[in-house]
Amino acid sequence: MRTHLKAALGLFAAAVLCLVPQAAALPAAEGQALAAHGETRAAADPAYRILVFSKTAGFRHSSIDDGIAALRDLGTANNFTVDATEDGQAFTTGNLAQYKAVVFLSTTGDVLNGAQQTAFEGYIQGGGGYVGIHAAADTEYDWPFYEGLAGALFHSHPAIQSATVEVEDRAHDATAHLGDTWQRTDEWYNYRTNPRTTAHVLASLDESSYTGGTMSGDHPIAWCSDYRGGRAFYTGGGHTDESYAEPAFRRHLLGGIRWAAGTTHADCRPETGYTALFDGSSTTGWRQAGPGGFTLADGTLTSRGGLGMLWYSAEEFTGDYSLKLDWKAAGDDNSGVLIGFPASDDPWSAVDNGYEIQIDATDAADRTTGAVYGFRSADIAARDAALNPPGEWNTYELRVTGERLEIFLNGRKINDYTNTDPARSLRQGHVGIQNHGDGDEVAFRDIRVKRGGGQEPGPRSGEVKGVNGKCLDVDGGQTADGTEVQVWTCNGSAAQRWTVSGDGSLRALGKCLDVSGGASADGTRIQLWTCNGSGAQVWAAQSDGTVRNPQSGKCLDASGGTWNDGTPVHLWTCHTAANQKWTLP
């Protein structure tokens, strides 16, 4: 929804510059070759470097040379530089620091020694990216960190043959270019474990379409995850020499690299328990209210005309639920997701009686992407850090718990709103998508719901925000035991990237947020320390916004009465004032 008056020209220009990077200037022949292979992207990425590592201590794939050549071609066309090596001595803290992602290209066996493993663990924990291709899953069986990073390890494989790949996520940049299914020939690995509970599955194999699958009909073949502070992408394809000449497979690799390098964003949290409201095949159960409508093609609903709304009339949602959907704006377009409204064929009834979660690049703060329209602006810094530009897909999760609405964009929390209006209710009503008007083109895919609760718990990474919007920060990005933890202006650095782990710890730079000496006195120092599983390193977020250390019964507190850059945090009796309120990833 948008008012008829645009925001001020300066706001408009700034937003456009922020959201629509300029296209890369490529040589004509190079650009034509890219277009022929389907490897172009919506906008230019900033220049970066990746390391391609292809050392083998077991079987060696003949396709490695073709893979390196393909990755170099992709780099030339997409503004990244490829350094290729088979020397484990490249794995030092200083050398790895120059790379946005490290690609394990059909590595096999034990390829890194202890010191090299330690350096790579630190690189990932500091926010680095990993891309595993094919036999990367046949690597480092005795290194638990690597098994978690890869997601699953090799078990066996049948003969090379054609199989049907079922694309489960068409929003991630590695799979958005594909249809619902993808027919291709490769050597299809069986894995020792199923990664579905620890990673977000992008594509899986239809075991009935080939012979030799041994994973009982649930056979992931490509996935991503936020792992120990970094990003991990794996694809099982890439055994054959021919794979690296396939346009669709090359684009698949490009998307994995872009995501691992942090140039595009996606929701890579594990996802189970959702059921489809719109699966791409039909709009059964949906109903158009008001003028205009949506065009259905390629599993995608694209808005046209309006102002109207397509709403799910088959069910009214009551109680707690999580609604997820993928969306893409063509440019500075307007739409929204509507929830908590009564059944009506009047689209304005949904606006007046429910809530709209906005999609709009350039309106006022409480009416732009991520806002609860007219009620609460998104956290703009968090929103901008998670948002993909026009032309690329994004994923919303709208999580309703009682009268609380949490909004996640590409897996990152950007808004938290509690309804206090007795005339409205978040926990009872219908859901819908808006077609705003002529010239507004927004597309939607894969609308699904999980009744009774939201996204599965598990490791989540991002900023921990506190008083005055400042971030929980490790002083100087140091990793020594005892380093002070403070509040600082948010800057996106690894020193401000915290992982909320399933064991209750808060981790940054590979270490844990720790109560000094396990003490409980007011004013006890909070520091960074080697993770040890003690009660001094357990933290629990409370419904009042505080973060409590259960062992002491006291709260994480920004010290003093004014909070500038460098203000240390300490332990203090819980009192729920502003300096004890924190927003976790």
Side-chain angles (χ1 to χ4, degrees), residues 205-273:
L205 293 174
D206 177 357
E207 288 193 335
S208 70
S209 69
Y210 72 106
T211 59
T214 64
M215 296 185 68
S216 303
D218 183 13
H219 195 141
I221 198 64
W223 53 81
C224 61
S225 67
D226 297 307
Y227 184 74
R228 302 279 185 95
R231 298 170 300 279
F233 168 86
Y234 172 82
T235 179
H239 172 85
T240 66
D241 298 356
E242 294 79 7
S243 294
Y244 298 97
E246 292 178 35
F249 186 71
R250 288 163 65 105
R251 184 61 184 84
H252 178 58
L253 295 180
L254 174 61
I257 291 168
R258 293 188 70 225
W259 178 79
T263 65
T264 189
H265 310 288
D267 189 346
C268 282
R269 297 172 295 169
E271 182 178 316
T272 59

Coordinates of all heavy atoms in Angstrom, one line a residue, residues 205-273:
L205 N 16.7 -35.3 -4.9 CA 16.6 -36.3 -6.0 C 15.3 -37.0 -5.9 O 14.9 -37.5 -4.8 CB 17.7 -37.3 -6.0 CG 19.1 -36.7 -6.3 CD1 20.2 -37.8 -6.2 CD2 19.1 -36.2 -7.8
D206 N 14.6 -37.3 -7.0 CA 13.5 -38.2 -7.1 C 14.0 -39.6 -7.3 O 14.5 -39.9 -8.3 CB 12.5 -37.8 -8.2 CG 11.4 -38.7 -8.4 OD1 11.3 -39.7 -7.7 OD2 10.6 -38.5 -9.3
E207 N 14.1 -40.3 -6.2 CA 14.7 -41.6 -6.2 C 14.0 -42.6 -7.2 O 14.6 -43.6 -7.6 CB 14.9 -42.2 -4.8 CG 16.0 -41.5 -4.0 CD 16.3 -42.3 -2.7 OE1 15.5 -43.1 -2.3 OE2 17.5 -42.1 -2.2
S208 N 12.8 -42.3 -7.5 CA 12.1 -43.2 -8.4 C 12.5 -43.0 -9.9 O 12.1 -43.7 -10.8 CB 10.6 -43.0 -8.3 OG 10.1 -41.8 -8.8
S209 N 13.2 -41.9 -10.1 CA 13.6 -41.5 -11.5 C 14.9 -42.1 -12.0 O 15.3 -41.9 -13.1 CB 13.7 -40.0 -11.6 OG 14.8 -39.5 -10.9
Y210 N 15.6 -42.8 -11.1 CA 16.9 -43.5 -11.4 C 17.1 -44.7 -10.5 O 16.2 -44.9 -9.6 CB 18.0 -42.5 -11.3 CG 18.4 -42.1 -9.9 CD1 19.6 -42.6 -9.3 CD2 17.6 -41.3 -9.1 CE1 20.0 -42.3 -8.0 CE2 18.0 -41.0 -7.8 CZ 19.2 -41.5 -7.3 OH 19.5 -41.2 -6.0
T211 N 18.1 -45.4 -10.7 CA 18.3 -46.6 -9.8 C 19.6 -46.4 -8.9 O 20.5 -45.7 -9.4 CB 18.6 -47.9 -10.7 OG1 19.7 -47.7 -11.5 CG2 17.4 -48.2 -11.5
G212 N 19.5 -46.9 -7.7 CA 20.7 -46.8 -6.8 C 20.6 -45.8 -5.7 O 21.5 -45.7 -4.9
G213 N 19.5 -45.1 -5.6 CA 19.3 -44.2 -4.4 C 19.0 -45.0 -3.2 O 18.2 -45.9 -3.2
T214 N 19.6 -44.6 -2.1 CA 19.5 -45.4 -0.8 C 19.0 -44.5 0.4 O 19.2 -44.9 1.5 CB 20.8 -46.1 -0.5 OG1 21.8 -45.1 -0.2 CG2 21.3 -47.0 -1.6
M215 N 18.3 -43.4 0.1 CA 18.0 -42.5 1.2 C 16.5 -42.5 1.5 O 15.9 -41.5 1.9 CB 18.6 -41.1 1.0 CG 20.1 -41.1 0.9 SD 20.9 -39.5 0.8 CE 20.5 -38.8 2.4
S216 N 15.8 -43.6 1.2 CA 14.4 -43.8 1.6 C 13.5 -42.7 1.1 O 12.5 -42.4 1.7 CB 14.3 -43.9 3.1 OG 15.1 -45.0 3.6
G217 N 13.8 -42.2 -0.1 CA 12.9 -41.2 -0.8 C 13.1 -39.8 -0.3 O 12.4 -38.9 -0.9
D218 N 13.9 -39.5 0.7 CA 14.2 -38.1 1.0 C 15.7 -37.9 0.8 O 16.5 -38.3 1.7 CB 13.8 -37.9 2.5 CG 14.1 -36.4 2.9 OD1 14.3 -35.6 2.0 OD2 14.1 -36.1 4.1
H219 N 16.1 -37.4 -0.4 CA 17.4 -37.5 -0.8 C 17.9 -36.1 -1.2 O 18.0 -35.7 -2.4 CB 17.5 -38.4 -2.0 CG 18.9 -38.8 -2.4 ND1 19.3 -40.1 -2.8 CD2 20.1 -38.1 -2.4 CE1 20.5 -40.1 -3.1 NE2 21.1 -38.9 -2.8
P220 N 18.3 -35.2 -0.3 CA 18.8 -33.9 -0.6 C 20.0 -34.0 -1.5 O 20.9 -34.9 -1.3 CB 19.1 -33.3 0.8 CG 18.2 -34.0 1.7 CD 18.1 -35.4 1.2
I221 N 20.2 -33.1 -2.4 CA 21.4 -33.1 -3.3 C 22.0 -31.7 -3.3 O 23.2 -31.6 -3.8 CB 21.0 -33.6 -4.7 CG1 22.2 -34.0 -5.5 CG2 20.2 -32.5 -5.4 CD1 23.0 -35.2 -4.9
A222 N 21.4 -30.6 -2.9 CA 22.0 -29.3 -2.8 C 21.4 -28.6 -1.6 O 20.1 -28.7 -1.4 CB 21.8 -28.5 -4.0
W223 N 22.2 -27.9 -0.8 CA 21.7 -27.3 0.4 C 22.6 -26.1 0.8 O 23.7 -25.9 0.3 CB 21.5 -28.3 1.6 CG 22.8 -29.1 1.9 CD1 23.9 -28.7 2.6 CD2 23.1 -30.4 1.5 NE1 24.8 -29.7 2.7 CE2 24.3 -30.8 2.0 CE3 22.4 -31.3 0.7 CZ2 24.9 -32.0 1.8 CZ3 23.0 -32.6 0.5 CH2 24.2 -32.9 1.0
C224 N 22.1 -25.3 1.8 CA 22.9 -24.2 2.3 C 22.6 -24.1 3.8 O 21.6 -24.6 4.3 CB 22.5 -22.9 1.7 SG 20.8 -22.4 1.8
S225 N 23.5 -23.5 4.6 CA 23.3 -23.3 6.0 C 24.1 -22.1 6.5 O 25.2 -21.8 5.9 CB 23.6 -24.6 6.8 OG 25.0 -24.8 6.7
D226 N 23.7 -21.5 7.6 CA 24.5 -20.6 8.3 C 25.2 -21.4 9.4 O 24.6 -22.0 10.3 CB 23.6 -19.5 9.0 CG 22.9 -18.6 8.0 OD1 23.6 -18.1 7.1 OD2 21.7 -18.5 8.0
Y227 N 26.5 -21.5 9.3 CA 27.3 -22.5 10.1 C 28.4 -21.8 10.9 O 29.3 -21.2 10.3 CB 27.8 -23.6 9.2 CG 28.6 -24.7 10.0 CD1 27.8 -25.6 10.7 CD2 29.9 -24.8 10.0 CE1 28.5 -26.7 11.4 CE2 30.6 -25.8 10.7 CZ 29.8 -26.7 11.4 OH 30.5 -27.7 12.1
R228 N 28.3 -21.9 12.2 CA 29.3 -21.4 13.1 C 29.8 -20.0 12.8 O 31.0 -19.7 12.9 CB 30.5 -22.3 13.1 CG 30.1 -23.8 13.5 CD 30.0 -24.0 15.0 NE 29.8 -25.4 15.3 CZ 30.8 -26.3 15.6 NH1 32.0 -25.9 15.6 NH2 30.5 -27.5 15.9
G229 N 28.9 -19.1 12.4 CA 29.2 -17.7 12.1 C 29.5 -17.5 10.6 O 29.6 -16.3 10.2
G230 N 29.6 -18.5 9.8 CA 29.9 -18.4 8.4 C 28.7 -18.9 7.5 O 27.6 -19.2 8.0
R231 N 29.0 -19.1 6.2 CA 27.9 -19.5 5.3 C 28.5 -20.7 4.5 O 29.6 -20.7 4.0 CB 27.6 -18.4 4.3 CG 27.0 -17.1 4.9 CD 26.9 -16.0 4.0 NE 28.2 -15.6 3.4 CZ 29.1 -14.9 4.1 NH1 28.8 -14.4 5.2 NH2 30.3 -14.6 3.5
A232 N 27.6 -21.8 4.4 CA 28.1 -23.0 3.7 C 27.0 -23.4 2.7 O 25.8 -23.5 3.0 CB 28.2 -24.1 4.8
F233 N 27.5 -23.7 1.5 CA 26.7 -24.2 0.4 C 27.3 -25.4 -0.2 O 28.6 -25.5 -0.3 CB 26.6 -23.1 -0.7 CG 26.0 -23.6 -2.0 CD1 24.7 -23.6 -2.2 CD2 26.9 -24.1 -3.1 CE1 24.1 -24.0 -3.4 CE2 26.3 -24.5 -4.3 CZ 25.0 -24.5 -4.4
Y234 N 26.5 -26.4 -0.5 CA 27.0 -27.7 -1.1 C 26.1 -28.1 -2.2 O 24.9 -28.0 -2.1 CB 27.1 -28.8 0.0 CG 27.4 -30.1 -0.6 CD1 28.7 -30.5 -0.9 CD2 26.4 -31.0 -1.0 CE1 29.0 -31.7 -1.5 CE2 26.7 -32.2 -1.6 CZ 28.0 -32.6 -1.9 OH 28.3 -33.8 -2.5
T235 N 26.7 -28.6 -3.3 CA 25.9 -29.3 -4.3 C 26.6 -30.6 -4.7 O 27.8 -30.7 -4.7 CB 25.9 -28.4 -5.6 OG1 25.1 -29.1 -6.6 CG2 27.2 -28.1 -6.2
G236 N 25.8 -31.6 -4.8 CA 26.3 -33.0 -5.2 C 26.6 -33.1 -6.6 O 27.2 -34.2 -7.0
G237 N 26.2 -32.2 -7.5 CA 26.5 -32.3 -8.9 C 28.0 -32.0 -9.2 O 28.7 -31.5 -8.3
G238 N 28.4 -32.3 -10.4 CA 29.8 -31.9 -10.8 C 30.8 -33.0 -11.0 O 32.0 -32.8 -11.1
H239 N 30.3 -34.3 -11.0 CA 31.3 -35.4 -11.3 C 31.8 -35.4 -12.7 O 33.0 -35.6 -12.9 CB 30.6 -36.7 -11.0 CG 31.4 -37.9 -11.4 ND1 32.4 -38.5 -10.6 CD2 31.4 -38.7 -12.5 CE1 32.9 -39.5 -11.2 NE2 32.4 -39.6 -12.4
T240 N 30.9 -35.2 -13.7 CA 31.3 -35.3 -15.1 C 31.9 -34.1 -15.6 O 31.7 -33.0 -15.2 CB 30.0 -35.7 -15.9 OG1 29.1 -34.5 -15.9 CG2 29.3 -36.9 -15.4
D241 N 32.8 -34.3 -16.6 CA 33.4 -33.2 -17.3 C 32.4 -32.3 -17.9 O 32.5 -31.1 -17.9 CB 34.3 -33.7 -18.4 CG 35.5 -34.5 -17.9 OD1 35.7 -34.7 -16.7 OD2 36.3 -35.1 -18.8
E242 N 31.3 -33.0 -18.5 CA 30.3 -32.2 -19.2 C 29.5 -31.3 -18.3 O 28.9 -30.3 -18.8 CB 29.3 -33.2 -19.9 CG 29.9 -34.1 -21.0 CD 30.7 -35.2 -20.5 OE1 30.7 -35.5 -19.2 OE2 31.4 -35.9 -21.3
S243 N 29.4 -31.6 -17.0 CA 28.7 -30.7 -16.1 C 29.1 -29.3 -16.2 O 28.2 -28.4 -16.1 CB 28.9 -31.2 -14.6 OG 28.4 -32.5 -14.4
Y244 N 30.4 -29.0 -16.4 CA 30.9 -27.7 -16.3 C 30.7 -26.9 -17.6 O 31.0 -25.7 -17.7 CB 32.3 -27.7 -15.9 CG 32.4 -28.3 -14.5 CD1 32.8 -29.6 -14.3 CD2 32.2 -27.5 -13.4 CE1 32.8 -30.2 -13.1 CE2 32.2 -28.1 -12.1 CZ 32.5 -29.4 -12.0 OH 32.6 -29.9 -10.7
A245 N 30.1 -27.6 -18.6 CA 29.6 -26.8 -19.8 C 28.1 -26.6 -19.9 O 27.6 -25.9 -20.8 CB 30.0 -27.7 -21.1
E246 N 27.4 -27.1 -18.9 CA 26.0 -27.0 -18.8 C 25.6 -25.6 -18.3 O 26.0 -25.2 -17.2 CB 25.3 -28.0 -17.8 CG 25.4 -29.4 -18.3 CD 24.8 -30.3 -17.2 OE1 23.8 -29.9 -16.5 OE2 25.3 -31.4 -17.0
P247 N 24.9 -24.8 -19.1 CA 24.5 -23.4 -18.6 C 23.8 -23.4 -17.3 O 24.1 -22.6 -16.4 CB 23.6 -22.9 -19.7 CG 24.1 -23.6 -20.9 CD 24.5 -25.0 -20.5
A248 N 22.8 -24.3 -17.1 CA 22.0 -24.3 -15.9 C 22.9 -24.7 -14.7 O 22.8 -24.2 -13.5 CB 20.9 -25.3 -16.0
F249 N 23.9 -25.7 -14.8 CA 24.7 -26.1 -13.7 C 25.7 -25.0 -13.4 O 26.0 -24.7 -12.2 CB 25.4 -27.4 -14.1 CG 26.2 -27.9 -12.9 CD1 25.6 -28.4 -11.8 CD2 27.6 -27.9 -12.9 CE1 26.3 -28.9 -10.7 CE2 28.4 -28.3 -11.8 CZ 27.7 -28.9 -10.7
R250 N 26.2 -24.3 -14.4 CA 27.2 -23.2 -14.2 C 26.4 -22.1 -13.4 O 27.0 -21.5 -12.5 CB 27.7 -22.7 -15.5 CG 28.7 -23.6 -16.1 CD 29.0 -23.3 -17.6 NE 29.6 -22.0 -17.8 CZ 30.9 -21.8 -18.2 NH1 31.7 -22.9 -18.3 NH2 31.3 -20.6 -18.4
R251 N 25.2 -21.8 -13.8 CA 24.4 -20.8 -13.0 C 24.2 -21.2 -11.6 O 24.1 -20.4 -10.7 CB 23.1 -20.5 -13.8 CG 22.3 -19.3 -13.2 CD 23.1 -18.0 -13.2 NE 22.4 -16.9 -12.5 CZ 22.4 -16.7 -11.2 NH1 23.1 -17.5 -10.4 NH2 21.8 -15.7 -10.7
H252 N 23.9 -22.5 -11.4 CA 23.8 -23.1 -10.1 C 25.0 -22.8 -9.2 O 24.9 -22.4 -8.1 CB 23.5 -24.6 -10.3 CG 23.4 -25.4 -9.0 ND1 22.4 -25.1 -8.1 CD2 24.1 -26.5 -8.6 CE1 22.5 -26.0 -7.1 NE2 23.5 -26.8 -7.4
L253 N 26.2 -23.1 -9.8 CA 27.4 -22.8 -9.1 C 27.6 -21.3 -8.8 O 28.0 -20.9 -7.7 CB 28.6 -23.3 -9.9 CG 28.7 -24.8 -10.1 CD1 29.9 -25.2 -10.9 CD2 28.7 -25.6 -8.8
L254 N 27.3 -20.5 -9.8 CA 27.4 -19.0 -9.6 C 26.6 -18.6 -8.4 O 27.0 -17.8 -7.5 CB 27.0 -18.3 -10.8 CG 27.0 -16.8 -10.7 CD1 28.3 -16.2 -10.4 CD2 26.4 -16.2 -12.0
G255 N 25.3 -19.1 -8.3 CA 24.4 -18.7 -7.2 C 25.0 -19.1 -5.9 O 24.9 -18.4 -4.9
G256 N 25.5 -20.3 -5.8 CA 26.1 -20.8 -4.6 C 27.3 -20.0 -4.1 O 27.5 -19.6 -3.0
I257 N 28.1 -19.6 -5.1 CA 29.3 -18.7 -4.8 C 28.8 -17.4 -4.3 O 29.4 -16.8 -3.3 CB 30.2 -18.6 -6.0 CG1 30.9 -20.0 -6.3 CG2 31.3 -17.5 -5.8 CD1 31.6 -20.1 -7.6
R258 N 27.9 -16.8 -5.1 CA 27.4 -15.4 -4.7 C 26.9 -15.4 -3.3 O 27.1 -14.5 -2.5 CB 26.4 -14.9 -5.6 CG 26.8 -14.7 -7.0 CD 25.7 -14.0 -7.9 NE 25.5 -12.6 -7.4 CZ 24.3 -12.1 -7.2 NH1 23.2 -12.8 -7.4 NH2 24.2 -10.8 -6.8
W259 N 26.1 -16.5 -2.9 CA 25.5 -16.5 -1.6 C 26.6 -16.7 -0.5 O 26.6 -16.1 0.5 CB 24.5 -17.6 -1.5 CG 23.9 -17.7 -0.1 CD1 23.0 -16.9 0.5 CD2 24.3 -18.6 1.0 NE1 22.8 -17.2 1.8 CE2 23.6 -18.2 2.1 CE3 25.2 -19.6 1.0 CZ2 23.8 -18.9 3.3 CZ3 25.4 -20.3 2.2 CH2 24.7 -20.0 3.4
A260 N 27.5 -17.7 -0.8 CA 28.6 -17.9 0.2 C 29.5 -16.7 0.4 O 30.0 -16.5 1.5 CB 29.4 -19.1 -0.3
A261 N 29.6 -15.9 -0.7 CA 30.5 -14.7 -0.6 C 29.7 -13.5 0.0 O 30.3 -12.5 0.3 CB 31.0 -14.3 -2.0
G262 N 28.4 -13.7 0.3 CA 27.6 -12.6 0.9 C 27.2 -11.5 0.0 O 26.7 -10.5 0.5
T263 N 27.2 -11.8 -1.3 CA 26.8 -10.7 -2.3 C 25.3 -10.8 -2.6 O 24.7 -9.9 -3.2 CB 27.6 -10.8 -3.6 OG1 27.3 -12.0 -4.3 CG2 29.0 -10.6 -3.3
T264 N 24.7 -11.9 -2.2 CA 23.2 -12.1 -2.3 C 22.8 -12.8 -1.0 O 23.6 -13.4 -0.3 CB 22.8 -12.9 -3.5 OG1 21.4 -12.8 -3.7 CG2 23.2 -14.3 -3.4
H265 N 21.5 -12.7 -0.7 CA 21.0 -13.2 0.6 C 19.9 -14.2 0.4 O 19.2 -14.2 -0.6 CB 20.5 -12.0 1.5 CG 21.5 -10.9 1.5 ND1 22.7 -11.0 2.3 CD2 21.5 -9.6 1.0 CE1 23.3 -9.8 2.2 NE2 22.7 -9.0 1.4
A266 N 19.7 -15.1 1.4 CA 18.7 -16.1 1.3 C 18.4 -16.6 2.7 O 19.3 -16.5 3.6 CB 19.1 -17.3 0.4
D267 N 17.3 -17.2 2.9 CA 16.9 -17.8 4.2 C 17.4 -19.3 4.1 O 16.9 -20.1 3.5 CB 15.4 -17.8 4.3 CG 15.0 -18.3 5.7 OD1 15.8 -18.9 6.5 OD2 13.8 -18.1 6.1
C268 N 18.5 -19.5 4.8 CA 19.2 -20.8 4.8 C 19.0 -21.5 6.2 O 19.8 -22.4 6.5 CB 20.6 -20.7 4.4 SG 20.8 -20.5 2.6
R269 N 18.0 -21.2 6.9 CA 17.6 -21.9 8.1 C 17.0 -23.2 7.7 O 16.3 -23.3 6.7 CB 16.7 -21.1 9.0 CG 17.3 -19.8 9.5 CD 16.3 -18.9 10.2 NE 15.2 -18.5 9.3 CZ 14.1 -17.9 9.7 NH1 13.8 -17.7 10.9 NH2 13.2 -17.6 8.8
P270 N 17.2 -24.3 8.5 CA 16.4 -25.5 8.2 C 14.9 -25.3 8.2 O 14.4 -24.5 9.0 CB 16.8 -26.5 9.4 CG 18.1 -25.9 9.9 CD 18.0 -24.4 9.7
E271 N 14.2 -26.0 7.3 CA 12.8 -25.8 7.2 C 12.1 -27.1 7.1 O 12.2 -27.8 6.1 CB 12.5 -24.9 6.0 CG 11.0 -24.5 5.8 CD 10.8 -23.6 4.7 OE1 11.5 -22.6 4.5 OE2 9.8 -23.9 3.9
T272 N 11.2 -27.4 8.1 CA 10.4 -28.6 8.0 C 9.0 -28.2 8.6 O 8.9 -27.3 9.3 CB 11.0 -29.8 8.8 OG1 11.1 -29.4 10.2 CG2 12.3 -30.2 8.2
G273 N 8.0 -29.0 8.2 CA 6.7 -28.8 8.8 C 5.8 -27.8 8.2 O 4.7 -27.6 8.6

